[in-house]
Each structure stands twice: as structure tokens, then as C-alpha cells.
Amino acid sequence: MAKIANKQVICEVLMEAAKTDKDIVALCSDSRGSASFAPFADEFPDQFLETGIAEQNLVSISAGLARCGKKAYSVSPACFLSTRSYEQCKVDVAYSNTNVKLIGISGGVSYGALGMTHHSAQDIAAMSAVPNMRVYLPSDRFQTGLLIKALLEDEKPAYIRVGRNAVDDVYEEENVPFEMDKATVIAEGSDVAIVACGEMVKPAADAAALLKEEGISATVLDMYCVKPLDKAAVVKAAENAKAVVTVEEHAPFGGLGSMVSQVISSECPKKVVNLSLPDAPVITGTSKEVFDYYGLNAQGIADTVKSCIGSGK
């Protein structure tokens, strides 16, 4: 069981790297507390910048620092970072190809009862549509740590979305298979392929365990790299399956499901079902309550799989 949230892991990895790399700078938009970046600000005050509630400035300043040779990490709630500062992300970061890593915290429905104003259910689609912008949704604390370490080694823009609270571990600390921009195969099966990202990976893996008890064999892909999408992994999983189910904490348009559908329709036509948030303001409640309501949990995923392939069993 995870003890810390993914956002805290990001801070810890950057703090360790900042000890020897003074070009690393972190910027927050009045969000150091919610982002778990207060320790970074305290230990490295000369490498930290607080812009206040001004997300557009946050991104533009980050891009300016990057053009001066700094490695900028812009940390802000995903709901604001991906919408309020969208033009700056598109022009100052992506079009200018600056070394800015955009960290969207409290992504998806993490803010729960605060409602649609604070939910980021369109960010995968929005950020993925921008040339030069990579999009990552790590599934647990261990994968998050490896992803941030890998991103420290390059100078290209990226958007990383993580949730607000600690989530269950998908991997074990001593066994975290990770290859940059390659999906991780959690389970292999022949009846259905389940492709998930972010916080949906754990319930997808749990769903596969439930299905196994009923004699249904499922492949599970952790597609943390939504863009660039690991097309080869999608095709391989789909070729061996009767149907494909995608699972994401996102609106039904333009996200993981849409991308997977495009690949499968052109490479190996199969039935694809997308499990997502609805095209409507979601109910208010905790993340778990929202997920349970819309079937974005292990049982809901398993039931969807059975409805897809039931006639073939």
C-alpha cells in the first residue's frame, strides 16, 4: 500500500537531483502546499519561484528560464495548468520546444466535491493535440519516480498528470519494469486486452484477477506514455484478443480510448470499448465514489469485459 502520493515522489526526485544540478528550478502557482513542493522551496530557495495564482505567467516564466539554460518544472493543479495557460503551453513551451516539464497535480477528479471547475477531464486530449508535447500519466509512486528521473535526462517538453492522494501500488519497489515511452505489460492473456493509464491501471489489473477466476484471460497494458502512444504494444495486445477495453479518468473524447481506437482501426480491426468519465459534469464525491459510480473500478471493468466477449465464451 502506498504511503505517499505520486506528487510527493516528484518533489523528492527533484530535490535529490537539485543537490548537484543547480539548473533545476521548480515553479508553483500558489500551490507549493497542495503540490507537496514546500520541502523543495525550503531547501532550495534559490531554485524555487512562486508566481502566485497566475498560471499563464507560471508557464511563460518557466519557458523563459528554460531558454536561459534552466531545467524548469512547472507545478500547478492540472485543471488550471491545462486550460487557463493552454496558449502558453502551446506557444511558449511546445512551439518553442523549451525544456519545460509541466506537472499537473490533483488531476482527473481528485478535487472531488469541488466539481467541474476543478476537474481535469479534458487535459489528455488538449495536451496531446499540441505538437512537440508529450503526455504521461504514471500509475504509482515507483513508476512516477522512474519517469521523472528519465525526464531529467532530456530537454524536450512534457506534460505529466498525477492525482492528489496516495494510490495503491501497482508494482513492487524491487521490481518496476520501465522503459521510456514503452507500455508495461502487467498481465498477458488471449480473450481481451485492457489498456489503462494513470490511476486506472490498478483497477484494471485487479479486474484481470477477477476475470481469471471466471476463466477469462486478459492482457493488461499500463499505457503511462499516452503520447507518444506505444502503438506496437497496442497492436500486439489486440491481435491476440477478441476485444479491447480502454480505461481512463478522462472525458470520452480525444483521450486514451480515442488514440487506441485509431491505432486498432487502421492496424488490426477489433471491437474497442472505452470506459471513461461521461460527457457531462460528473457527480460530486471522493475519487473512489466517482469511480465506483461510473464503473471505473475492478468490478466495473470486469463487467464491461464480460459484456464485450460474453457471447464468445
Side-chain angles (χ1 to χ4, degrees), residues 191 208-217 299 302-303 306 313:
D191 291 317
L210 292 176
L211 292 166
K212 186 176 181 179
E213 294 175 358
E214 299 187 40
I216 299 174
S217 174
Q299 190 60 59
D303 289 344
K306 288 185 287 184
K313 290 299 291 179

Side-chain angles (χ1 to χ4, degrees), residues 10 27 55 58-60 62-63 72-76 78 81-82 85-86 88-90 92-94 98-105 127 130 133-136 148 151 156-162:
I10 295 174
L27 302 89
E55 290 82 4
L58 170 79
V59 176
S60 290
S62 298
Y73 288 77
S74 306
V75 189
S76 183
L81 186 62
S82 64
S85 57
Y86 189 56
Q88 286 70 33
C89 294
K90 181 182 73 171
D92 297 344
V93 175
T98 53
N99 186 12
V100 176
K101 306 308 192 283
L102 303 163
I103 312 294
I105 61 166
M127 290 299 185
V130 178
M133 186 68 74
R134 297 170 294 168
V135 178
Y136 300 102
I148 298 303
L151 289 172
K156 299 178 291 184
Y159 173 73
I160 304 94
R161 189 234 267 186
V162 294

Side-chain angles (χ1 to χ4, degrees), residues 162-197:
V162 294
R164 187 180 189 186
N165 302 309
V167 292
D168 290 343
D169 293 336
V170 175
Y171 305 101
E172 298 176 355
E173 187 171 7
E174 302 304 321
N175 182 25
V176 190
F178 179 86
E179 185 176 353
M180 194 62 175
D181 296 335
K182 298 294 182 182
T184 299
V185 179
I186 294 178
E188 293 191 80
S190 57
D191 291 317
V192 66
I194 305 173
V195 185
C197 62

Side-chain angles (χ1 to χ4, degrees), residues 1-10 13 136-148 160-163 165-178 184 186 197-203 222-224:
M1 180 67 178
K3 303 296 184 184
I4 60 175
N6 294 345
K7 60 183 182 179
Q8 186 174 337
V9 174
I10 295 174
V13 170
Y136 300 102
L137 279 78
S139 57
D140 74 358
R141 54 178 171 155
F142 302 125
Q143 188 182 70
T144 298
L146 292 176
L147 172 62
I148 298 303
I160 304 94
R161 189 234 267 186
V162 294
N165 302 309
V167 292
D168 290 343
D169 293 336
V170 175
Y171 305 101
E172 298 176 355
E173 187 171 7
E174 302 304 321
N175 182 25
V176 190
F178 179 86
T184 299
I186 294 178
C197 62
E199 292 190 21
M200 293 294 99
V201 173
K202 183 60 166 66
D222 178 351
M223 192 62 72
Y224 80 89

Side-chain angles (χ1 to χ4, degrees), residues 29-62:
S29 57
D30 195 34
S31 53
R32 74 180 76 181
S34 59
S36 299
F37 262 71
F40 190 104
D42 292 341
E43 186 165 341
F44 304 100
D46 293 336
Q47 293 171 254
F48 179 83
L49 179 63
E50 174 61 71
T51 68
I53 305 176
E55 290 82 4
Q56 294 170 329
N57 288 346
L58 170 79
V59 176
S60 290
I61 293 170
S62 298

